[in-house]
């Protein structure tokens, strides 16, 4: 049976298993039930008119309880009864994948207990969307249980109850359940002896549900669109923010580089600020003493205000003296800076002189090399001349041999003597030339050594100067950082003391105002120091105006980007306002819809009262017709008994 089931699959994965109008035995049902748990290879299962037994249906439905792929189940025409209804209820409670269930031509409504189990499962299910219960012999009690289940079900959208026995009471129960159920869109009640007015009321309720669903779907779509737009705007904003952060990081890196370059240049003139740092340290100690005096004065303010005024006056005088001293020290620092600049210019002049000397030595080396070259040329010329003379002497000797063959021996002796003398002269000249060449080479070597020594000395002096500059820069940086940290701590302490004085002297507002003025003066003094430092840096950075202009350009670009971001923020605020307006519209629509629903419910209640009145009139008319019928029946019986046929029949 398992192989037969697999052969009947249509399509690869997610197909349809159609076993309709085939008699499935119990083993086949058990095999199929073993295949169904988990993920089956089909999405629809058709078992209509298969003549399934109660046990087979139970096995199949138990297998489907844990299935996760079957979306549609067709069990029409299988005469399901109590056990089948219970299994269906269990299936609806446990299964979370079935969306469509067809139960046409069964007998679920004949057994109240089984149908109640089925309704309990439908009440607990929140995944089923389409339910077909045509021709299931459902009466008004079953319709009431269905209505109770539908009050809590939130997923069913279509329910087909045609050709059952629901009647008036079942129709009313279903109509009442539609007041609480807002998801059901289609309810078929044809062939159930339900009055037309109830059918119209059901159609109106379903129309209300459809309208409500359409409004909610539109609102959800609008919300989704707005959320997508908001997300896209957020993404764009994040991208722009990341780009802005990248540009800021790049600008920070460029600024750090420029600051490093400027610090490297500033460090050349920071040697003159060493003495100022020592002076600032002394001033810091004095300021600490003044702060201690201020703390004591603040403690004494509570009891003696006059003493505090005197201390403040003294502190003002001390601050003025300190300011004057600082100005004098700044002037001295400026003088020292000028001296240092003069020393630097003298050192540069010395370097220029050394370079000129090196150039002169190089020129001398070139001249000596030229002299050596000329001496070599002279040697070559003399050797050539000697060779020519030797050739001429040989020619003369040959001529003399030819001419004076007789006096050959004498001439040979004379020639030998002359050759020896010439050879000695040549050797002496060669020795003198070699000596001269050696002397010139020694002079060149000594000059090279002197040049190398001069270069080494210049390099060592340059390295020493650079090391001294680096040390001075590092010391100046450390001292400046320490000084800034100390000033920041001092400012923080001053602000804390100012806050404490303000908190303690709330009643004495005038004294607190004076303390604040003093704190402002101190802050102005610190600002003046900072401004002085900035002026020094500006004086040092005159040569870096181009970089400053570039930084200004970057700042302008950053401000423009900030303006763009603010514009985008305003646009986002506008979108938020639009979203708020749309939410208000949704609230207004929901309130209007609620009012319309309340109006419709009032109309329905009026119609119900009218129906009750009509039913009362119909019952009264029926009672009158019954009375009339009883009267007629009594009259007919009396007439029959009084007639001869009645007597004849009585005799018989």
């Amino acid at each position: 049976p398992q192989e037969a089931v697999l052969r009947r699959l249509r399509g690869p994965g997610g197909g349809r298993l159609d076993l309709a109008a085939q008699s499935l035995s119990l083993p086949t049902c058990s095999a199929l039930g073993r295949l169904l748990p988990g993920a089956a290879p089909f999405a629809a299962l058709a078992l209509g008119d298969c003549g399934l037994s109660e046990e087979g249906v139970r096995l199949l439905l138990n297998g489907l309880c844990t299935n996760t792929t079957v979306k549609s189940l067709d069990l029409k025409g299988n005469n399901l009864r109590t056990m089948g209804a219970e299994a269906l209820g269990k299936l609806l409670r446990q299964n979370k994948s079935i969306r469509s269930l067809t139960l046409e031509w069964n007998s679920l409504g004949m057994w109240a207990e089984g149908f109640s189990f089925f309704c309990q499962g439908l009440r607990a299910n929140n995944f089923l969307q389409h339910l077909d219960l045509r021709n299931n012999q459902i009466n008004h009690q079953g319709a009431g249980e269905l209505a109770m289940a539908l009050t809590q079900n939130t997923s069913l959208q279509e329910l087909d109850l045609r050709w059952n026995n629901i009647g008036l009471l079942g129709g009313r129960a279903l109509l009442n359940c539609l007041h609480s159920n807002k998801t059901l869109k289609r309810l078929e009640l044809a062939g159930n002896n339900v009055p037309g007015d109830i059918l119209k009321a059901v159609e109106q309720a379903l129309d209300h549900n459809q309208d409500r669903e359409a409004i909610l779907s539109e609102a959800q779509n609008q919300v989704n669109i707005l959320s997508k737009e908001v997300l896209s705007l957020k993404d764009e904003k994040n991208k722009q923010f990341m780009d802005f952060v990248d540009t800021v990081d790049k600008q920070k890196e460029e600024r750090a580089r420029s600051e490093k370059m400027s610090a490297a240049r500033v460090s050349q003139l920071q040697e003159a600020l060493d003495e100022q740092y020592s002076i600032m340290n002394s001033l810091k100690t004095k300021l600490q003493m003044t702060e201690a005096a201020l703390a004591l004065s603040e403690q004494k303010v509570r009891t003696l205000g006059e003493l505090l005024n005197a201390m403040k006056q003294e502190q003002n005088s001390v601050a003025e003296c300190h300011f004057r001293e600082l100005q004098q020290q700044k002037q001295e620092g400026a003088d020292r800076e000028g001296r240092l600049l003069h020393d630097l210019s003298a050192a540069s002049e010395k370097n220029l002189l050394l370079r000129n000397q090196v150039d002169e030595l190089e020129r001398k080396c070139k001249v000596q090399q030229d002299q050596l070259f000329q001496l070599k040329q002279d040697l070559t010329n003399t050797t050539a001349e000697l060779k020519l003379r030797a050739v001429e002497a040989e020619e003369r000797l040959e001529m003399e041999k030819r001419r004076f063959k007789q006096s050959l021996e004498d001439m040979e002796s004379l020639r030998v003597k002359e050759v020896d003398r010439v050879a000695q002269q040549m050797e002496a000249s060669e020795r003198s030339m070699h000596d001269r060449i050696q002397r010139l080479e020694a002079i060149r070597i000594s000059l090279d050594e002197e040049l190398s020594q001069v270069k080494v000395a210049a390099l060592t002096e340059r390295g020493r100067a650079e090391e001294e500059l680096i040390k001075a820069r590092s010391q100046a940086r450390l001292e400046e950082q320490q000084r800034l940290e100390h000033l920041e701590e001092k400012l923080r302490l001053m602000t804390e003391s100012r806050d404490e004085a303000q908190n303690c002297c709330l009643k004495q507002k005038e004294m607190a105002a004076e303390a604040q003025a003093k704190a402002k003066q101190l802050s102005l003094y610190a600002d003046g120091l900072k401004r002085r430092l900035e002026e020094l840096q500006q004086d040092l950075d005159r040569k870096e105006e181009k970089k400053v202009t570039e930084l200004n350009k970057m700042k302008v670009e950053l401000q423009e980007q900030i303006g763009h971001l603010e514009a985008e923020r305003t646009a986002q605020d506008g979108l938020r306002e639009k979203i708020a307006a749309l939410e208000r519209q949704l609230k207004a629509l929901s309130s209007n819809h609620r009012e319309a629903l309340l109006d419709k419910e009032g109309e329905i209640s009026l119609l119900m009262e009218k129906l009750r009145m009509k039913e009362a009139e119909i019952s009264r008319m029926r009672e009158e017709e019954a009375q009339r019928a009883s009267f007629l029946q009594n009259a007919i019986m009396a007439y029959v008994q009084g007639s001869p046929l009645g007597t004849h029949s009585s005799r018989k």
Side-chain angles (χ1 to χ4, degrees):
Q2 184 176 355
E3 293 177 356
V5 167
L6 292 173
R7 281 197 300 270
R8 289 180 178 274
L9 290 174
R10 293 181 181 177
R16 176 183 175 84
L17 181 60
D18 193 356
L19 300 175
Q22 295 186 15
S23 59
L24 299 178
S25 62
L26 187 62
T28 304
C29 293
S30 64
L32 187 59
R34 287 193 297 273
L35 284 172
L36 288 173
F42 46 82
L45 180 60
L47 298 172
D49 299 323
C50 291
L52 298 174
S53 62
E54 291 286 319
E55 187 65 22
V57 169
R58 188 180 65 78
L59 292 172
L60 283 171
L61 296 178
N62 287 332
L64 280 170
C65 287
T66 57
N67 185 273
T68 58
T69 57
V70 176
K71 307 292 183 184
S72 176
L73 179 61
D74 188 357
L75 292 173
K76 66 180 179 180
N78 284 294
N79 196 18
L80 300 179
R81 291 181 292 277
T82 303
M83 192 177 292
E86 293 177 357
L88 285 169
K90 182 180 178 182
L91 175 68
L92 291 174
R93 279 194 299 272
Q94 296 181 3
N95 188 278
K96 297 181 180 180
S97 63
I98 294 175
R99 300 291 185 269
S100 177
L101 181 60
T102 302
L103 298 173
E104 184 182 1
W105 290 103
N106 286 290
S107 301
L108 297 174
M110 291 182 67
W111 288 271
E113 293 180 358
F115 194 71
S116 65
F117 280 113
F118 174 77
C119 292
Q120 290 175 5
L122 182 63
R123 181 186 302 172
N125 185 280
N126 287 321
F127 300 95
L128 189 66
Q129 296 178 357
H130 177 76
L131 180 60
D132 190 354
L133 290 174
R134 289 178 291 177
N135 294 303
N136 271 276
Q137 299 182 11
I138 299 171
N139 54 13
H140 64 278
Q141 294 179 354
E145 291 182 356
L146 269 176
M148 292 294 291
L150 290 174
T151 54
Q152 297 183 4
N153 186 280
T154 58
S155 63
L156 193 65
Q157 297 179 0
E158 296 182 2
L159 178 60
D160 197 347
L161 293 172
R162 288 179 289 180
W163 310 110
N164 286 293
N165 297 319
I166 292 173
L168 176 64
L169 298 176
R172 286 180 180 175
L174 291 171
L175 180 61
N176 291 325
C177 81
L178 290 176
H179 294 296
S180 59
N181 188 312
K182 304 297 181 182
T183 58
L184 194 64
K185 298 179 182 178
R186 182 182 175 189
L187 179 60
E188 299 290 342
L189 294 174
N192 282 285
N193 295 322
V194 178
D197 51 359
I198 293 175
L199 292 174
K200 289 181 181 179
V202 168
E203 288 178 358
Q204 289 178 357
L206 293 173
D207 291 335
H208 284 303
N209 287 340
Q210 290 177 359
D211 294 336
R212 180 178 176 276
E213 187 67 24
I215 292 167
L216 289 174
S217 64
E218 288 179 357
Q220 190 66 31
N221 290 327
Q222 291 178 357
V223 169
N224 292 327
I225 291 165
L226 291 171
S227 64
K228 288 179 181 178
E229 290 179 355
V230 169
L231 289 172
S232 64
L233 289 170
K234 285 182 179 178
D235 293 333
E236 290 178 358
K237 185 179 178 182
N238 290 325
K239 288 179 181 177
Q240 291 176 357
F241 182 72
M242 292 302 291
D243 294 334
F244 178 71
V245 169
D246 293 333
T247 55
V248 168
D249 292 333
K250 290 179 181 178
Q251 291 170 2
K252 283 182 180 178
E253 290 177 357
E254 292 178 356
R255 187 177 179 183
R257 291 175 184 172
S258 64
E259 285 178 356
K260 287 180 181 177
M261 295 296 290
S262 62
R265 293 182 181 179
V266 167
S267 61
Q268 294 177 358
L269 297 172
Q270 284 181 350
E271 294 177 355
L273 296 174
D274 294 334
E275 294 180 358
Q276 290 184 358
Y277 292 147
S278 62
I279 293 163
M280 289 296 293
N281 290 322
S282 64
L283 288 172
K284 287 175 183 177
T285 55
K286 290 179 181 179
L287 286 170
Q288 288 177 357
M289 294 297 292
T290 54
E291 286 176 358
L294 282 170
L296 293 172
S297 63
E298 285 175 357
Q299 290 178 359
K300 292 178 181 179
V301 161
R302 297 177 183 176
T303 56
L304 298 172
E306 294 178 355
L307 291 173
L308 183 61
N309 292 321
M311 289 296 292
K312 285 181 179 179
Q313 291 176 359
E314 290 177 359
Q315 287 173 0
N316 289 322
S317 63
V318 169
E320 289 177 355
C321 293
H322 289 317
F323 184 70
R324 291 173 184 174
E325 290 176 357
L326 283 171
Q327 287 180 351
Q328 292 176 0
Q329 289 169 2
K330 286 177 183 178
Q331 290 177 359
E332 290 176 358
D335 296 332
R336 287 175 185 174
E337 287 177 0
R339 291 174 185 174
L340 289 170
L341 290 170
H342 183 69
D343 294 333
L344 287 171
S345 63
S348 63
E349 288 177 356
K350 287 180 182 179
N351 288 323
L352 290 171
L353 291 171
L354 290 170
R355 287 179 183 175
N356 292 324
Q357 290 177 1
V358 169
D359 293 332
E360 288 178 357
L361 291 170
E362 288 178 353
R363 288 173 186 173
K364 287 179 181 179
C365 289
K366 288 180 181 179
V367 170
Q368 289 175 359
Q369 287 177 0
D370 293 333
Q371 290 176 359
L372 287 170
F373 183 70
Q374 289 177 0
L375 290 170
K376 287 180 181 179
Q377 286 180 355
D378 293 334
L379 283 170
T380 53
N381 293 323
T382 52
T383 52
E385 288 177 357
L386 289 170
K387 287 179 181 179
L388 290 170
R389 288 177 183 178
V391 170
E392 289 176 355
E394 287 177 356
E395 288 178 355
R396 288 175 183 176
L397 286 169
E398 287 177 357
M399 291 296 287
E400 286 177 356
K401 282 178 182 179
R402 291 173 184 176
R403 291 176 183 177
F404 303 102
K405 288 180 181 179
Q406 293 178 359
S407 62
L408 182 62
E409 292 178 358
D410 295 334
M411 293 298 290
E412 283 180 358
S413 62
L414 292 171
R415 185 179 60 79
V416 168
K417 289 178 182 180
E418 190 175 359
V419 168
D420 291 333
R421 184 176 60 78
V422 171
Q424 288 176 0
Q425 288 179 359
M426 286 178 70
E427 287 177 358
S429 65
E430 285 179 356
R431 286 174 185 174
S432 64
M433 292 299 290
H434 282 297
D435 292 333
R436 191 174 180 183
I437 288 164
Q438 288 177 359
R439 288 174 186 174
L440 290 171
E441 286 179 353
I443 291 165
R444 185 177 61 80
I445 290 164
S446 64
L447 289 171
D448 289 333
E449 288 177 355
E450 288 178 358
L451 195 144
S452 62
Q453 288 176 2
V454 169
K455 287 182 178 179
V456 169
L459 290 170
T460 53
E461 287 178 357
R462 188 180 292 173
R464 288 175 184 174
E466 288 178 354
E467 288 177 356
E468 288 176 357
L469 286 171
I470 290 165
K471 288 180 181 179
R473 289 172 184 175
S474 62
Q475 288 178 1
R477 286 177 184 174
L478 291 171
E479 289 176 357
E480 187 177 6
Q481 288 178 359
Q482 290 176 0
R483 182 175 61 78
L484 290 171
E485 289 176 356
H486 188 71
L487 286 172
E488 288 176 355
E489 289 178 357
K490 183 178 177 181
L491 288 170
R492 184 174 59 79
L493 292 170
M494 290 297 291
T495 53
E496 289 177 356
S497 64
R498 186 184 65 187
D499 294 330
E500 289 176 356
Q502 286 178 359
N503 292 322
C504 294
C505 300
L506 291 171
K507 293 180 181 180
Q508 298 177 355
K509 292 182 180 179
E510 294 178 354
M511 305 300 290
E514 291 177 356
Q516 288 177 358
K518 185 60 181 290
K520 287 180 180 179
Q521 288 177 359
L522 292 171
S523 63
L524 290 169
Y525 179 70
D527 292 329
L529 293 174
K530 290 181 180 178
R531 288 172 185 172
R532 181 60 180 169
L533 290 172
E534 288 176 356
E535 288 175 358
L536 291 171
Q537 288 179 357
Q538 288 176 1
D539 293 330
L540 293 170
D541 293 333
R542 285 176 183 175
K543 295 180 181 179
E544 294 179 356
E545 289 179 356
K546 293 180 180 180
K547 292 183 179 180
V548 172
T549 54
E550 290 177 356
L551 288 171
N552 290 323
K553 288 179 181 179
M554 296 300 290
K555 287 179 182 179
V556 170
E557 290 177 356
L558 287 171
Q559 289 177 359
E560 289 177 356
Q561 290 179 359
I562 290 164
H564 289 301
L565 290 172
E566 288 177 353
E568 290 176 357
R569 187 183 291 173
T570 54
Q572 288 180 0
D573 293 330
L575 289 171
R576 288 177 183 172
E577 291 177 357
K578 289 181 181 178
I579 291 165
L582 290 171
E583 288 178 354
R584 293 192 197 95
Q585 290 178 0
L586 286 171
K587 288 179 181 179
L589 289 170
S590 61
S591 62
N592 293 326
H593 184 64
R594 287 176 184 173
E595 291 176 357
L597 287 173
L598 292 171
D599 294 332
K600 294 292 183 180
E601 287 176 357
E603 292 176 0
I604 289 165
S605 62
L606 292 172
L607 291 170
M608 292 293 290
E609 289 177 358
K610 290 180 181 180
L611 285 171
R612 288 173 185 172
M613 294 295 290
K614 293 284 180 126
E615 286 175 358
E617 289 177 0
I618 289 164
S619 61
R620 183 173 56 78
M621 290 173 71
R622 285 178 180 175
E623 288 175 358
E624 289 176 357
E625 287 177 358
Q627 288 177 1
R628 289 176 184 175
S630 63
F631 290 153
L632 288 170
Q633 188 177 3
N634 292 325
I636 290 165
M637 290 298 292
Y639 177 77
V640 169
Q641 288 177 3
S643 65
L645 291 171
T647 57
H648 181 71
S649 63
S650 63
R651 287 177 183 177
K652 286 182 178 182

